[in-house]
Amino acid sequence: MISDPLQVDDFNKKLKSWYLKNHRPLLWRQTTDPYKIWLSEIILQQTRVAQGTPYYEKFLENYPTVFDLANADERDVLRLWQGLGYYSRARNMHYTARQIVSEFEGRFPETALTLSKLKGLGNYTAAAIASFAFGEAVAAIDGNVYRVMSRIFGIKADMLSNEGKKEFAQVAKTLISHEDPATYNQAMIEFGALQCVPVSPNCSICPFNDICYAYAFNVQNELPVKAKKLKVKNRFLNYFIIQQGDKLAMQERNTKDIWKGLYDFLLIESAAHVDSPEELADNAMLLVLMKKGTIRQVPKLYIHLLTHQKLHVQFWWLTIPESEPVDLPSNIYFFSKNEVETLPKPILIDTVLKEEKYL
């Protein structure tokens, strides 16, 4: 394990040299504004750079300061976020913007410790903001950095265990540059993203191949160790798109389930796949609605993957004449086509409406 100050200095010089030659000119690297850095970090959680960049630009265009974001309506924030997934990130981001304005007068805290107490900011995001914006010498450890440290220094501890996290944190604390912590953190993250990639890294051109444990013992595919695996739950969702004229019946999801704060249709969840709505006949309201109009199945079964869930989703389109009275649950309302378009929706719902030529 690296510990000698001269070895650390040599490691940092090689890392910085590589970074200056190879880094990508990403927009959020061209600023020390904590708001812009925070925005980029939240958007890039669970999101690739290519996908996240347009959202970063859209959010800055609509909400150029933390005050603008704090004053925004949550529905508008979720609508702008549509397509990124993990919508709790958007809700937490909006909440935190309001917290920064109300408790800190719009100024971001300058230390990782204080930042980590804000909603939606874990240790990595807090450290990233503190080092990039304020120059605090604190290591930002994301998945890329775990991989780099594990392979180069032969760390075999499970990166998801408490013991493993402590070991990685100690190594990172030893390595962090106190002269330029922002560049060090950016370089470690970028090195993992571009050079020390998860699969088939090109070790022959790596500046650390003379000291790399994984390269020496050919165990690149075995490090880092990540023992815990999420169990994926299968869910079967049956949606009924109820239309009268140009209006659709939609509901806001307000439980602790997926897509909270977004709008979808009348939903009946089943234990397994069903071939027809009649198999859901225990729902008396649905039977009454089906007798009032004509129903057709959207000719496609959608598979939607979330981190810990696999959604099997099918849709039926129920058209009811405008002359027929419709008795819906109290949380479902009819919205015009223009209103439907502006409501924040899961990307799956938006996709179906576009494929069905409604939007």
Side-chain angles (χ1 to χ4, degrees):
M1 195 69 66
I2 193 168
S3 59
D4 184 274
L6 291 177
Q7 291 178 310
V8 171
D9 186 58
D10 182 60
F11 177 89
N12 284 340
K13 284 179 179 177
K14 283 185 177 180
L15 180 67
K16 186 173 183 178
S17 175
W18 177 91
Y19 177 73
L20 294 176
K21 293 175 185 175
N22 297 282
H23 74 278
R24 296 164 291 179
L26 304 177
L27 295 174
W28 44 88
R29 287 185 178 152
Q30 301 166 26
T31 182
T32 56
D33 182 340
Y35 171 68
K36 294 178 180 178
I37 293 167
W38 167 67
L39 197 63
S40 72
E41 290 295 339
I42 300 301
I43 288 173
L44 291 175
Q45 290 172 4
Q46 308 289 338
T47 302
R48 292 175 289 104
V49 167
Q51 183 190 11
T53 300
Y55 285 88
Y56 173 78
E57 294 174 315
K58 283 195 298 182
F59 266 90
L60 279 184
E61 181 182 344
N62 285 269
Y63 311 116
T65 71
V66 70
F67 294 97
D68 297 308
L69 182 56
N71 291 328
D73 186 277
E74 185 182 88
R75 182 185 291 186
D76 294 331
V77 174
L78 290 173
R79 181 70 178 86
L80 201 60
W81 190 271
Q82 186 173 301
L84 273 179
Y86 302 93
Y87 288 89
S88 61
R89 290 184 292 164
R91 289 190 296 271
N92 289 342
M93 186 174 73
H94 188 223
Y95 178 94
T96 300
R98 292 181 169 180
Q99 186 180 8
I100 289 169
V101 168
S102 63
E103 296 181 21
F104 299 95
E105 300 179 338
R107 299 188 193 91
F108 276 75
E110 297 186 10
T111 67
L113 181 61
T114 308
L115 284 163
S116 67
K117 295 175 183 177
L118 299 175
K119 196 166 187 177
L121 271 70
N123 291 334
Y124 161 74
T125 306
I129 297 168
S131 67
F132 301 158
F134 304 113
E136 184 180 7
V138 56
I141 311 175
D142 72 347
N144 289 316
V145 178
Y146 276 116
R147 184 168 58 256
V148 171
M149 290 194 296
S150 176
R151 286 177 175 172
I152 292 177
F153 304 115
I155 303 174
K156 301 182 184 68
D158 178 5
M159 60 180 275
L160 298 180
S161 69
N162 290 332
E163 296 76 12
K165 289 177 181 177
K166 289 178 183 177
E167 184 173 348
F168 279 102
Q170 185 57 50
V171 174
K173 187 177 180 180
T174 302
L175 293 174
I176 184 77
S177 167
H178 289 261
E179 290 73 31
D180 190 0
T183 300
Y184 165 83
N185 279 326
Q186 293 281 20
M188 284 290 279
I189 295 165
E190 192 78 332
F191 191 79
L194 299 183
Q195 173 60 42
C196 196
V197 294
V199 179
S200 302
N202 186 357
C203 299
S204 65
I205 63 169
C206 176
F208 301 110
N209 59 20
D210 59 330
I211 64 167
C212 179
Y213 176 92
Y215 182 59
F217 292 96
N218 196 29
V219 290
Q220 295 93 324
N221 293 334
E222 298 172 25
L223 296 173
V225 175
K226 190 177 179 181
K228 293 182 182 177
K229 289 187 178 179
L230 289 172
K231 289 185 178 179
V232 176
K233 178 183 178 182
N234 284 287
R235 296 178 67 180
F236 299 87
L237 308 183
N238 307 283
Y239 274 115
F240 292 85
I241 306 173
I242 303 170
Q243 181 173 6
Q244 273 197 317
D246 76 335
K247 295 183 177 181
L248 297 186
M250 302 192 75
Q251 62 182 343
E252 181 180 7
R253 297 180 63 87
N254 53 19
T255 66
K256 290 185 177 180
D257 200 358
I258 58 173
W259 301 331
K260 183 179 179 183
L262 306 185
Y263 284 74
D264 64 1
F265 309 110
L266 174 65
L267 171 63
I268 300 176
E269 187 166 353
S270 54
H273 173 77
V274 298
D275 292 314
S276 69
E278 285 75 20
E279 294 181 54
L280 304 167
D282 58 337
N283 190 293
M285 179 194 64
L286 177 60
L287 290 176
V288 172
L289 289 171
M290 287 169 57
K291 290 178 182 178
K292 289 178 177 285
T294 57
I295 191 167
R296 66 177 177 85
Q297 186 171 10
V298 174
K300 187 175 179 181
L301 176 65
Y302 294 83
I303 303 296
H304 195 67
L305 300 177
L306 305 176
T307 303
H308 56 291
Q309 298 184 36
K310 182 177 183 180
L311 307 182
H312 306 255
V313 192
Q314 53 187 341
F315 295 82
W316 281 276
W317 200 293
L318 176 58
T319 304
I320 300 177
E322 292 182 83
S323 58
E324 284 283 349
V326 177
D327 187 19
L328 294 172
S330 60
N331 62 323
I332 300 182
Y333 304 92
F334 277 104
F335 294 91
S336 69
K337 182 177 289 191
N338 287 339
E339 290 172 328
V340 170
E341 189 167 12
T342 59
L343 289 174
K345 304 173 287 295
I347 192 64
L348 175 62
I349 299 296
D350 193 64
T351 297
V352 171
L353 291 178
K354 288 175 179 174
E355 290 181 352
E356 289 295 304
K357 304 294 191 292
Y358 177 81
L359 292 180

